Amino acid sequence: MSSTPSPTPVDEISWVLNPLLELPGVLHAVIATGDGLVEGASNGLGRASAERVAAMTATLHAAARAFTTAFTDAERPRLAQTVVESDLGYAVVVPAGENTSLAVFAGPDAQLGNVAYQMQIQVAALGRALASPTRQQDAATARS
């Protein structure tokens, strides 16, 4: 009797990236912890690149928060999104719950409004999924 390996936490959370990756111009996406660890990454992004993106996401959010504080003297401003524009495209980072961020890289032709909107939809879906209790097998199913 063979058993199917249980999904890793990264596999369990990466589904949130799929709708983003279907948007025109979106090339890569990463879910990262606040301390820079990968929680999920698009298939086209290598592991080393995903780890760099996750680390930089944490750094970028910390810098954006400090930058905002320098302008406003606010203790801990809540970031809505951080956008970096380059000749290669856009890196967009949004908070995705407690100690988590969602980062997307889109080409210069991407519709940023659509990307930002879909990112918020996916963050909400991720929040609902993480807040839902794990389903338990009932006794009748477990005996079958």
Side-chain angles (χ1 to χ4, degrees):
M1 181 168 156
S2 69
S3 66
T4 310
S6 60
T8 64
V10 169
D11 294 334
E12 291 175 2
I13 201 171
S14 290
W15 60 266
V16 79
L17 304 176
N18 294 338
L20 295 165
L21 296 166
E22 293 172 359
L23 293 173
V26 173
L27 304 172
H28 300 293
V30 171
I31 302 167
T33 65
D35 52 352
L37 300 176
V38 177
E39 287 189 329
S42 53
N43 289 334
L45 194 62
R47 183 70 186 176
S49 292
E51 289 173 355
R52 283 194 309 272
V53 168
M56 296 310 321
T57 296
T59 303
L60 182 63
H61 254 220
R65 199 172 282 114
F67 192 60
T68 302
T69 297
F71 274 116
T72 64
D73 292 327
E75 282 279 324
R76 291 216 18 104
R78 288 186 310 200
L79 300 176
Q81 69 180 4
T82 304
V83 179
V84 176
E85 181 180 359
S86 73
D87 62 332
L88 300 176
Y90 304 92
V92 182
V93 181
V94 299
E98 187 68 32
N99 198 37
T100 305
S101 295
L102 172 60
V104 167
F105 187 79
D109 58 335
Q111 296 294 318
L112 279 187
N114 293 341
V115 172
Y117 176 75
Q118 188 65 45
M119 288 177 81
Q120 292 306 319
I121 288 173
Q122 294 312 109
V123 164
L126 180 61
R128 286 190 304 274
L130 294 177
S132 299
T134 304
R135 291 182 58 191
Q136 302 294 322
Q137 285 184 320
D138 62 25
T141 306
R143 281 186 245 131
S144 319

